[in-house]
Amino acid sequence: MDGDLVPWDEAKVHVLTHAFQYGTGVFEGIRCYPTERGPAVFRLEDHVRRLYRSAAIYRLTIPFDPETIAEGIRETIRANGLSECYIRPVAYRGYGEMGVNLGPEPARVTIVAWPWGTYLGEDSIEAGVRVLVSSWRRNDANAVPPAAKATGQYLNSALAKAEALEAGFDEALLLNPQGFVADGSGQNVFVVRDGTVITPPESAGILLGITRESVMQLARDLGHEVRERNLVRTDLYTADEVFLTGTAAEVVPVRDIDGRTIGDGQRGPVTKALQAEFFAAARGELDRYTAWNDPVT
Ligand code: PPE
């Protein structure tokens, strides 16, 4: 917390913390995987860069340089003796001035690391998940910009996720205010059609996922055409394959959307190949992508 290692039970903030009252924090979700060279953080530099971009959107000054944040992340993993974990850095407006403003006070910064298993259930990676297109729309880019990974905007995701779970689904997809597919409550979405891999563009109001970007590169390297274009919900229903990507969720097949079976209801071959590439790259097993592995020791 703010540069010091603090025991788990003492990692506390005041109830008048600005970010608690108004949602004015920005964060990252990062994973560390075991590799031959020891634990390695997946695309650490890219996550740290996105944290600063999110901070800039909310006029939040992080009082450390990016390499200090990166080293703080490695240090938190080492101090906890973790080889495989999820890391949550948060930069937020702290205790001080109350009232709705984005003042000049520097951000408080906390980094937490803990083991976090399969996000969408143990069998989600192979069997896939059932998804509901939510009745809630993704927050508009000119209201609460989805390009920033800010704590407060997850109210929008939480409404959608809760609706999906309540209705017996595993996950929610949100359409943007124009009606095009944006992303999941915490994942980007891809469809596969005749071997082409398609995902919504940045202008659809998505978070530019680092897993998304990785999977786009892996797909190109496997010889697939990759396109960023707007999708409507029927593009989802009629796709050969649909899958979700995210740091927490990793790469997850979708077997059903709104009660329509996707493909034959089994994990599709393109999804399966991309999962294999992704997990191998994250574990440092593919020479071509070892620049993505940032060793902790
Ligand atoms: N869209 C949203 C809305 C999102 O929250 C995430 C990550 C992504 C796309 C994928 O981005 P990336 O992780 O860089 O590939 N969601 C994070 C938070 C999940 C949570 O429940 O907390 C995550 O996956 O870490």
Side-chain angles (χ1 to χ4, degrees):
M1 293 185 89
D2 305 308
D4 298 319
L5 282 167
V6 174
W8 186 274
D9 290 338
E10 288 165 33
K12 293 174 181 169
V13 295
H14 195 275
V15 290
L16 286 187
T17 293
H18 200 276
F20 179 64
Q21 297 293 331
Y22 304 117
T24 49
V26 297
F27 69 101
E28 274 303 314
I30 313 175
R31 273 191 192 270
C32 174
Y33 291 91
T35 76
E36 223 171 47
R37 295 187 291 162
V41 182
F42 188 67
R43 303 194 68 167
L44 176 57
E45 210 178 295
D46 297 305
H47 280 283
V48 171
R49 202 174 300 140
R50 191 173 64 185
L51 181 71
Y52 280 77
R53 287 200 194 112
S54 297
I57 289 172
Y58 285 101
R59 303 175 67 171
L60 199 55
T61 308
I62 298 176
F64 300 99
D65 62 30
E67 180 42 36
T68 304
I69 297 290
E71 185 48 26
I73 288 167
R74 294 185 204 102
E75 175 61 20
T76 308
I77 299 166
R78 284 194 297 267
N80 283 287
L82 296 163
S83 61
E84 186 160 18
C85 64
Y86 184 84
I87 308 107
R88 171 59 55 87
V90 194
Y92 61 97
R93 288 180 184 278
Y95 171 81
E97 192 113 347
M98 282 298 285
V100 179
N101 185 21
L102 300 174
E105 306 80 17
R108 306 284 303 269
V109 180
T110 292
I111 299 165
V112 197
W114 72 92
W116 199 2
T118 319
Y119 182 79
L120 287 172
E122 229 164 71
D123 55 357
S124 65
I125 300 285
E126 272 184 44
V129 293
R130 297 181 58 242
V131 166
L132 176 74
V133 175
S134 181
S135 68
W136 295 96
R137 291 294 169 102
R138 176 58 83 208
N139 35 265
D140 186 89
N142 288 303
V144 183
K149 199 166 169 61
T151 58
Q153 75 195 47
Y154 281 80
L155 286 171
N156 178 233
S157 285
L159 287 169
K161 176 87 182 193
E163 180 187 38
L165 293 179
E166 184 79 11
F169 293 84
D170 304 305
E171 190 48 81
L173 276 173
L174 292 95
L175 306 180
N176 65 23
Q178 292 71 42
F180 295 112
V181 176
D183 50 10
S185 75
Q187 307 84 14
N188 292 113
V189 61
F190 286 78
V191 308
V192 181
R193 187 187 283 276
D194 300 326
T196 300
V197 174
I198 311 165
T199 193
E202 183 174 14
S203 57
I206 59 167
L207 180 73
L208 279 180
I210 289 165
T211 320
R212 170 186 182 273
E213 213 252 316
S214 307
V215 164
M216 287 168 69
Q217 185 171 336
L218 294 169
R220 283 195 191 100
D221 293 349
L222 286 178
H224 293 283
E225 188 190 336
V226 177
R227 293 178 58 193
E228 292 173 88
R229 71 161 174 87
N230 274 321
L231 296 168
V232 292
R233 71 197 286 173
T234 46
D235 290 324
L236 303 171
Y237 296 164
T238 59
D240 300 328
E241 302 178 34
V242 177
F243 61 89
L244 305 173
T245 65
T247 298
E250 301 173 301
V251 181
V252 177
V254 175
R255 66 170 196 272
D256 177 299
I257 300 177
D258 296 344
R260 277 93 172 161
T261 302
I262 304 305
D264 59 6
Q266 309 286 320
R267 171 171 64 174
V270 177
T271 305
K272 189 176 176 184
L274 288 170
Q275 285 180 313
E277 289 287 292
F278 173 77
F279 285 114
R283 292 189 151 73
E285 292 160 9
L286 302 177
D287 289 343
R288 191 171 188 171
Y289 308 108
T290 48
W292 288 350
N293 313 115
D294 192 302
V296 163
T297 47

